[in-house]
Each structure stands twice: as C-alpha cells, then as structure tokens.
Amino acid sequence: MIRRYAAHDSLPGEVSSPYRGGMHGDADLAEPARLMGEPARAAMLVALLDGRALPASELAAIARVKPPTASAHLAQLVAGGLVADRRLGRHRYFALAGPEVANAVEALQLIAPRRAVSSYSQSATARRLAEARSCYDHLAGRLALDLADALVAEGAIAPLDAGEPGRLLATDGPLAARLRLGDVGDVGVHSRRPEVRGCLDWTERRPHIAGRLGSHLLDVMLADGWVARVPGDRSLRVTTTGREAFAALG
C-alpha cells in the first residue's frame, strides 16, 4: 500500500516541523568561495596551511597589503568561520579554524591553475614545496608519498583512498617502530578525527597520510630532527639526519 503524505507530514527520516524552520537546505558554496576568491585573503589562507598561528602584520606582508587592509580581510575570514583568532598579550594571532578548512583550501589547489615561475627564488620555493611541506598538521609532497608507500609496503597501514578513513594495521615493523606508531592510539583519542585518512596531495595527485596518524608523523619527524620548518613559507627542509633515515627506507 502506497502511503500518501500530506503537505505538513515529515518524510521518513526527517525531523517533523510544520515550517521546516529547524532544517537546513543545501550548502551555500558562494559564501566561502567569496571569502577565498579575493587574492589577499587567498594568500593568507595558503600561508596558514602549515597549521601555525601568525600575527596580522606577518599576514599583511605575505598578502602584500597594508596592515589596515589586512585587518579588514582577517575580520571577514574570522566572521566567515574560515579563520580563528586568539590574543596573546598585546598581539592577535590567526590560524585556520580547523582541518576541514585546510582540506578545502588544499582541494582547491588541485583544480587551480599554476602560477608561472619567473625567478630563481620562486623556482627554489616551488622545488621545496614539491619535495616536502606541511599540509595543516601533517606532511605533504613527494616525501609524504614515499613515506606512505613505505608504511603500506611494511603492512603498517592499509592503502590510502583520498578523503576516506584508512586503517592502522600494525605497529611492530622496523619503520613503524622507528616512527613510534604505537603511540598514535593515545593522540587525540577523544577527537572525532579518524586515526588514518587519505588526503589528496595537490602536487603529487595521490593521497598522503592525514588524520591523527599524519599529525603524529609530522610531530615525530620535527622532534627527531628529520625535517625542519623553513621561515617564510610552509616548505620543510629535510635535514642530513632525515636524508639518512629516509634513505634507509629503500
């Protein structure tokens, strides 16, 4: 028997509301697109992709705008939920509002046209970013893909699918032990973030490791001196210690 629904009835799975006032419609892409679409604001969002909080003065220099203009742009990004701010003493620091914002910015880089490289400095930066960089709180670039491949080959993690939760399979292999993968279960255990997630790398076009495992790996490599942050951009410099360690991956 086919049930007939009156205009005020709820469909199966819906919350009953005669005016539908408590329900949400489709996502409004126009608002975040407007915020990201302004060049200065886009430059600020990319600069914050390394997960660090930066002062307005540094973001103004990166975006090549005057401080009052930068403050106006940052106010819009905060109001739009893309950036969070906090005050430390007399200064305000700005960071991405969360990993979902970083994922959105990184995804847009996949479809964005590439800028022409017209100087040695730009070429050097592009090479560094392609080799190793931070993607919010995890490693990205060729080095990240090599590391993911090595962990899959060792049986430590399942093969990655972009945007999908992955699986941490074993923590007793040589590489897994060296990277202290056994500690991942204690990292953000109460977080809703998956233990392992594939994040599509915009330079390599394959997924690298994100989620709680990705955050753990970058923390370990920074703490053990395998990689070091580069002032001025989100590239990561592979140290001599790191090159020796990665060479051992085969």
PDB file of all heavy atoms in Angstrom, residues 216-243:
ATOM      1  N   HIS A 216      50.730  12.840  13.993  1.00  0.00           N
ATOM      2  CA  HIS A 216      51.763  12.194  14.805  1.00  0.00           C
ATOM      3  C   HIS A 216      53.085  12.090  14.038  1.00  0.00           C
ATOM      4  O   HIS A 216      54.157  12.372  14.589  1.00  0.00           O
ATOM      5  CB  HIS A 216      51.280  10.800  15.224  1.00  0.00           C
ATOM      6  CG  HIS A 216      52.346   9.935  15.813  1.00  0.00           C
ATOM      7  ND1 HIS A 216      52.743  10.029  17.134  1.00  0.00           N
ATOM      8  CD2 HIS A 216      53.116   8.956  15.251  1.00  0.00           C
ATOM      9  CE1 HIS A 216      53.704   9.155  17.360  1.00  0.00           C
ATOM     10  NE2 HIS A 216      53.949   8.482  16.253  1.00  0.00           N
ATOM     11  N   LEU A 217      53.020  11.688  12.770  1.00  0.00           N
ATOM     12  CA  LEU A 217      54.238  11.511  11.981  1.00  0.00           C
ATOM     13  C   LEU A 217      55.007  12.824  11.830  1.00  0.00           C
ATOM     14  O   LEU A 217      56.233  12.854  11.966  1.00  0.00           O
ATOM     15  CB  LEU A 217      53.887  10.947  10.607  1.00  0.00           C
ATOM     16  CG  LEU A 217      53.401   9.492  10.573  1.00  0.00           C
ATOM     17  CD1 LEU A 217      52.926   9.122   9.174  1.00  0.00           C
ATOM     18  CD2 LEU A 217      54.507   8.546  11.043  1.00  0.00           C
ATOM     19  N   LEU A 218      54.298  13.914  11.547  1.00  0.00           N
ATOM     20  CA  LEU A 218      54.994  15.192  11.397  1.00  0.00           C
ATOM     21  C   LEU A 218      55.598  15.628  12.724  1.00  0.00           C
ATOM     22  O   LEU A 218      56.731  16.124  12.764  1.00  0.00           O
ATOM     23  CB  LEU A 218      54.032  16.265  10.871  1.00  0.00           C
ATOM     24  CG  LEU A 218      54.656  17.649  10.642  1.00  0.00           C
ATOM     25  CD1 LEU A 218      55.869  17.580   9.725  1.00  0.00           C
ATOM     26  CD2 LEU A 218      53.619  18.619  10.082  1.00  0.00           C
ATOM     27  N   ASP A 219      54.877  15.433  13.818  1.00  0.00           N
ATOM     28  CA  ASP A 219      55.421  15.783  15.139  1.00  0.00           C
ATOM     29  C   ASP A 219      56.705  15.002  15.416  1.00  0.00           C
ATOM     30  O   ASP A 219      57.690  15.562  15.923  1.00  0.00           O
ATOM     31  CB  ASP A 219      54.389  15.486  16.233  1.00  0.00           C
ATOM     32  CG  ASP A 219      53.252  16.491  16.260  1.00  0.00           C
ATOM     33  OD1 ASP A 219      53.382  17.551  15.625  1.00  0.00           O
ATOM     34  OD2 ASP A 219      52.231  16.211  16.925  1.00  0.00           O
ATOM     35  N   VAL A 220      56.702  13.709  15.109  1.00  0.00           N
ATOM     36  CA  VAL A 220      57.875  12.875  15.362  1.00  0.00           C
ATOM     37  C   VAL A 220      59.050  13.330  14.504  1.00  0.00           C
ATOM     38  O   VAL A 220      60.190  13.453  14.985  1.00  0.00           O
ATOM     39  CB  VAL A 220      57.555  11.386  15.100  1.00  0.00           C
ATOM     40  CG1 VAL A 220      58.829  10.547  15.055  1.00  0.00           C
ATOM     41  CG2 VAL A 220      56.624  10.851  16.175  1.00  0.00           C
ATOM     42  N   MET A 221      58.800  13.599  13.220  1.00  0.00           N
ATOM     43  CA  MET A 221      59.896  13.975  12.331  1.00  0.00           C
ATOM     44  C   MET A 221      60.480  15.338  12.680  1.00  0.00           C
ATOM     45  O   MET A 221      61.685  15.561  12.532  1.00  0.00           O
ATOM     46  CB  MET A 221      59.414  13.931  10.881  1.00  0.00           C
ATOM     47  CG  MET A 221      59.246  12.507  10.379  1.00  0.00           C
ATOM     48  SD  MET A 221      58.856  12.408   8.621  1.00  0.00           S
ATOM     49  CE  MET A 221      57.118  12.808   8.656  1.00  0.00           C
ATOM     50  N   LEU A 222      59.652  16.244  13.165  1.00  0.00           N
ATOM     51  CA  LEU A 222      60.169  17.534  13.632  1.00  0.00           C
ATOM     52  C   LEU A 222      60.950  17.355  14.938  1.00  0.00           C
ATOM     53  O   LEU A 222      62.038  17.911  15.098  1.00  0.00           O
ATOM     54  CB  LEU A 222      59.011  18.520  13.840  1.00  0.00           C
ATOM     55  CG  LEU A 222      58.369  19.090  12.576  1.00  0.00           C
ATOM     56  CD1 LEU A 222      57.061  19.804  12.920  1.00  0.00           C
ATOM     57  CD2 LEU A 222      59.313  20.065  11.866  1.00  0.00           C
ATOM     58  N   ALA A 223      60.406  16.560  15.852  1.00  0.00           N
ATOM     59  CA  ALA A 223      61.063  16.360  17.141  1.00  0.00           C
ATOM     60  C   ALA A 223      62.391  15.630  16.989  1.00  0.00           C
ATOM     61  O   ALA A 223      63.367  15.938  17.698  1.00  0.00           O
ATOM     62  CB  ALA A 223      60.141  15.591  18.087  1.00  0.00           C
ATOM     63  N   ASP A 224      62.445  14.666  16.060  1.00  0.00           N
ATOM     64  CA  ASP A 224      63.674  13.880  15.871  1.00  0.00           C
ATOM     65  C   ASP A 224      64.654  14.541  14.907  1.00  0.00           C
ATOM     66  O   ASP A 224      65.727  13.991  14.634  1.00  0.00           O
ATOM     67  CB  ASP A 224      63.324  12.478  15.364  1.00  0.00           C
ATOM     68  CG  ASP A 224      62.657  11.625  16.437  1.00  0.00           C
ATOM     69  OD1 ASP A 224      62.521  12.108  17.587  1.00  0.00           O
ATOM     70  OD2 ASP A 224      62.257  10.485  16.132  1.00  0.00           O
ATOM     71  N   GLY A 225      64.288  15.697  14.369  1.00  0.00           N
ATOM     72  CA  GLY A 225      65.209  16.429  13.513  1.00  0.00           C
ATOM     73  C   GLY A 225      65.331  15.893  12.105  1.00  0.00           C
ATOM     74  O   GLY A 225      66.318  16.157  11.422  1.00  0.00           O
ATOM     75  N   TRP A 226      64.320  15.137  11.636  1.00  0.00           N
ATOM     76  CA  TRP A 226      64.349  14.646  10.256  1.00  0.00           C
ATOM     77  C   TRP A 226      64.024  15.781   9.284  1.00  0.00           C
ATOM     78  O   TRP A 226      64.566  15.829   8.187  1.00  0.00           O
ATOM     79  CB  TRP A 226      63.348  13.510  10.062  1.00  0.00           C
ATOM     80  CG  TRP A 226      63.714  12.238  10.749  1.00  0.00           C
ATOM     81  CD1 TRP A 226      64.592  12.071  11.780  1.00  0.00           C
ATOM     82  CD2 TRP A 226      63.204  10.936  10.448  1.00  0.00           C
ATOM     83  NE1 TRP A 226      64.654  10.760  12.153  1.00  0.00           N
ATOM     84  CE2 TRP A 226      63.815  10.032  11.352  1.00  0.00           C
ATOM     85  CE3 TRP A 226      62.291  10.446   9.521  1.00  0.00           C
ATOM     86  CZ2 TRP A 226      63.541   8.671  11.343  1.00  0.00           C
ATOM     87  CZ3 TRP A 226      62.003   9.087   9.509  1.00  0.00           C
ATOM     88  CH2 TRP A 226      62.629   8.206  10.413  1.00  0.00           C
ATOM     89  N   VAL A 227      63.108  16.653   9.684  1.00  0.00           N
ATOM     90  CA  VAL A 227      62.745  17.808   8.871  1.00  0.00           C
ATOM     91  C   VAL A 227      62.743  19.042   9.761  1.00  0.00           C
ATOM     92  O   VAL A 227      62.639  18.943  10.984  1.00  0.00           O
ATOM     93  CB  VAL A 227      61.358  17.641   8.194  1.00  0.00           C
ATOM     94  CG1 VAL A 227      61.355  16.489   7.212  1.00  0.00           C
ATOM     95  CG2 VAL A 227      60.246  17.470   9.238  1.00  0.00           C
ATOM     96  N   ALA A 228      62.871  20.215   9.130  1.00  0.00           N
ATOM     97  CA  ALA A 228      62.847  21.484   9.863  1.00  0.00           C
ATOM     98  C   ALA A 228      62.006  22.472   9.069  1.00  0.00           C
ATOM     99  O   ALA A 228      61.977  22.435   7.833  1.00  0.00           O
ATOM    100  CB  ALA A 228      64.273  22.018  10.048  1.00  0.00           C
ATOM    101  N   ARG A 229      61.318  23.322   9.768  1.00  0.00           N
ATOM    102  CA  ARG A 229      60.494  24.336   9.104  1.00  0.00           C
ATOM    103  C   ARG A 229      61.382  25.391   8.450  1.00  0.00           C
ATOM    104  O   ARG A 229      62.465  25.706   8.938  1.00  0.00           O
ATOM    105  CB  ARG A 229      59.545  24.988  10.099  1.00  0.00           C
ATOM    106  CG  ARG A 229      58.512  24.022  10.674  1.00  0.00           C
ATOM    107  CD  ARG A 229      57.418  24.762  11.408  1.00  0.00           C
ATOM    108  NE  ARG A 229      56.475  23.870  12.048  1.00  0.00           N
ATOM    109  CZ  ARG A 229      55.425  23.297  11.451  1.00  0.00           C
ATOM    110  NH1 ARG A 229      55.199  23.535  10.161  1.00  0.00           N
ATOM    111  NH2 ARG A 229      54.598  22.503  12.117  1.00  0.00           N
ATOM    112  N   VAL A 230      60.890  25.940   7.341  1.00  0.00           N
ATOM    113  CA  VAL A 230      61.600  26.979   6.602  1.00  0.00           C
ATOM    114  C   VAL A 230      60.873  28.299   6.823  1.00  0.00           C
ATOM    115  O   VAL A 230      59.674  28.405   6.522  1.00  0.00           O
ATOM    116  CB  VAL A 230      61.653  26.650   5.091  1.00  0.00           C
ATOM    117  CG1 VAL A 230      62.312  27.785   4.321  1.00  0.00           C
ATOM    118  CG2 VAL A 230      62.392  25.339   4.868  1.00  0.00           C
ATOM    119  N   PRO A 231      61.539  29.323   7.360  1.00  0.00           N
ATOM    120  CA  PRO A 231      60.874  30.611   7.568  1.00  0.00           C
ATOM    121  C   PRO A 231      60.370  31.194   6.245  1.00  0.00           C
ATOM    122  O   PRO A 231      61.053  31.115   5.228  1.00  0.00           O
ATOM    123  CB  PRO A 231      61.979  31.495   8.171  1.00  0.00           C
ATOM    124  CG  PRO A 231      62.971  30.536   8.740  1.00  0.00           C
ATOM    125  CD  PRO A 231      62.939  29.334   7.832  1.00  0.00           C
ATOM    126  N   GLY A 232      59.174  31.724   6.275  1.00  0.00           N
ATOM    127  CA  GLY A 232      58.645  32.426   5.104  1.00  0.00           C
ATOM    128  C   GLY A 232      57.677  31.639   4.261  1.00  0.00           C
ATOM    129  O   GLY A 232      56.926  32.221   3.487  1.00  0.00           O
ATOM    130  N   ASP A 233      57.686  30.303   4.344  1.00  0.00           N
ATOM    131  CA  ASP A 233      56.699  29.510   3.618  1.00  0.00           C
ATOM    132  C   ASP A 233      56.480  28.205   4.382  1.00  0.00           C
ATOM    133  O   ASP A 233      57.066  27.985   5.440  1.00  0.00           O
ATOM    134  CB  ASP A 233      57.096  29.266   2.155  1.00  0.00           C
ATOM    135  CG  ASP A 233      58.421  28.525   2.018  1.00  0.00           C
ATOM    136  OD1 ASP A 233      58.551  27.430   2.600  1.00  0.00           O
ATOM    137  OD2 ASP A 233      59.328  29.029   1.336  1.00  0.00           O
ATOM    138  N   ARG A 234      55.648  27.324   3.845  1.00  0.00           N
ATOM    139  CA  ARG A 234      55.318  26.095   4.579  1.00  0.00           C
ATOM    140  C   ARG A 234      56.114  24.883   4.091  1.00  0.00           C
ATOM    141  O   ARG A 234      55.775  23.750   4.410  1.00  0.00           O
ATOM    142  CB  ARG A 234      53.816  25.810   4.501  1.00  0.00           C
ATOM    143  CG  ARG A 234      53.261  25.588   3.110  1.00  0.00           C
ATOM    144  CD  ARG A 234      51.739  25.609   3.154  1.00  0.00           C
ATOM    145  NE  ARG A 234      51.143  25.387   1.852  1.00  0.00           N
ATOM    146  CZ  ARG A 234      50.609  24.235   1.460  1.00  0.00           C
ATOM    147  NH1 ARG A 234      50.611  23.196   2.269  1.00  0.00           N
ATOM    148  NH2 ARG A 234      50.064  24.108   0.272  1.00  0.00           N
ATOM    149  N   SER A 235      57.183  25.143   3.350  1.00  0.00           N
ATOM    150  CA  SER A 235      58.036  24.024   2.955  1.00  0.00           C
ATOM    151  C   SER A 235      58.804  23.520   4.172  1.00  0.00           C
ATOM    152  O   SER A 235      58.982  24.224   5.168  1.00  0.00           O
ATOM    153  CB  SER A 235      58.998  24.434   1.847  1.00  0.00           C
ATOM    154  OG  SER A 235      59.869  25.453   2.292  1.00  0.00           O
ATOM    155  N   LEU A 236      59.245  22.279   4.082  1.00  0.00           N
ATOM    156  CA  LEU A 236      60.023  21.651   5.141  1.00  0.00           C
ATOM    157  C   LEU A 236      61.380  21.242   4.562  1.00  0.00           C
ATOM    158  O   LEU A 236      61.433  20.629   3.490  1.00  0.00           O
ATOM    159  CB  LEU A 236      59.301  20.425   5.694  1.00  0.00           C
ATOM    160  CG  LEU A 236      57.964  20.702   6.397  1.00  0.00           C
ATOM    161  CD1 LEU A 236      57.196  19.400   6.606  1.00  0.00           C
ATOM    162  CD2 LEU A 236      58.186  21.400   7.735  1.00  0.00           C
ATOM    163  N   ARG A 237      62.442  21.577   5.258  1.00  0.00           N
ATOM    164  CA  ARG A 237      63.789  21.205   4.822  1.00  0.00           C
ATOM    165  C   ARG A 237      64.142  19.852   5.410  1.00  0.00           C
ATOM    166  O   ARG A 237      64.053  19.648   6.623  1.00  0.00           O
ATOM    167  CB  ARG A 237      64.796  22.264   5.275  1.00  0.00           C
ATOM    168  CG  ARG A 237      66.231  21.955   4.908  1.00  0.00           C
ATOM    169  CD  ARG A 237      67.150  23.084   5.325  1.00  0.00           C
ATOM    170  NE  ARG A 237      67.083  23.364   6.743  1.00  0.00           N
ATOM    171  CZ  ARG A 237      67.759  22.693   7.672  1.00  0.00           C
ATOM    172  NH1 ARG A 237      68.580  21.701   7.314  1.00  0.00           N
ATOM    173  NH2 ARG A 237      67.640  23.005   8.948  1.00  0.00           N
ATOM    174  N   VAL A 238      64.515  18.927   4.533  1.00  0.00           N
ATOM    175  CA  VAL A 238      64.953  17.618   5.002  1.00  0.00           C
ATOM    176  C   VAL A 238      66.395  17.738   5.460  1.00  0.00           C
ATOM    177  O   VAL A 238      67.275  18.137   4.703  1.00  0.00           O
ATOM    178  CB  VAL A 238      64.822  16.560   3.895  1.00  0.00           C
ATOM    179  CG1 VAL A 238      65.206  15.179   4.430  1.00  0.00           C
ATOM    180  CG2 VAL A 238      63.397  16.519   3.358  1.00  0.00           C
ATOM    181  N   THR A 239      66.662  17.410   6.723  1.00  0.00           N
ATOM    182  CA  THR A 239      67.991  17.549   7.294  1.00  0.00           C
ATOM    183  C   THR A 239      68.885  16.375   6.875  1.00  0.00           C
ATOM    184  O   THR A 239      68.418  15.399   6.284  1.00  0.00           O
ATOM    185  CB  THR A 239      67.907  17.591   8.823  1.00  0.00           C
ATOM    186  OG1 THR A 239      67.425  16.316   9.291  1.00  0.00           O
ATOM    187  CG2 THR A 239      66.970  18.696   9.292  1.00  0.00           C
ATOM    188  N   THR A 240      70.166  16.480   7.209  1.00  0.00           N
ATOM    189  CA  THR A 240      71.085  15.367   6.940  1.00  0.00           C
ATOM    190  C   THR A 240      70.622  14.109   7.667  1.00  0.00           C
ATOM    191  O   THR A 240      70.628  13.006   7.102  1.00  0.00           O
ATOM    192  CB  THR A 240      72.511  15.738   7.388  1.00  0.00           C
ATOM    193  OG1 THR A 240      72.938  16.907   6.683  1.00  0.00           O
ATOM    194  CG2 THR A 240      73.474  14.596   7.113  1.00  0.00           C
ATOM    195  N   THR A 241      70.194  14.273   8.922  1.00  0.00           N
ATOM    196  CA  THR A 241      69.656  13.141   9.685  1.00  0.00           C
ATOM    197  C   THR A 241      68.446  12.538   8.983  1.00  0.00           C
ATOM    198  O   THR A 241      68.310  11.311   8.880  1.00  0.00           O
ATOM    199  CB  THR A 241      69.257  13.592  11.103  1.00  0.00           C
ATOM    200  OG1 THR A 241      70.400  14.109  11.769  1.00  0.00           O
ATOM    201  CG2 THR A 241      68.671  12.440  11.907  1.00  0.00           C
ATOM    202  N   GLY A 242      67.579  13.415   8.476  1.00  0.00           N
ATOM    203  CA  GLY A 242      66.388  12.939   7.789  1.00  0.00           C
ATOM    204  C   GLY A 242      66.707  12.215   6.498  1.00  0.00           C
ATOM    205  O   GLY A 242      66.109  11.176   6.186  1.00  0.00           O
ATOM    206  N   ARG A 243      67.673  12.732   5.732  1.00  0.00           N
ATOM    207  CA  ARG A 243      68.022  12.087   4.457  1.00  0.00           C
ATOM    208  C   ARG A 243      68.607  10.699   4.712  1.00  0.00           C
ATOM    209  O   ARG A 243      68.328   9.756   3.968  1.00  0.00           O
ATOM    210  CB  ARG A 243      69.006  12.947   3.678  1.00  0.00           C
ATOM    211  CG  ARG A 243      68.389  14.250   3.181  1.00  0.00           C
ATOM    212  CD  ARG A 243      69.127  14.880   2.037  1.00  0.00           C
ATOM    213  NE  ARG A 243      68.467  16.134   1.648  1.00  0.00           N
ATOM    214  CZ  ARG A 243      67.414  16.207   0.862  1.00  0.00           C
ATOM    215  NH1 ARG A 243      66.887  15.111   0.367  1.00  0.00           N
ATOM    216  NH2 ARG A 243      66.881  17.375   0.561  1.00  0.00           N
TER     217      ARG A 243
END
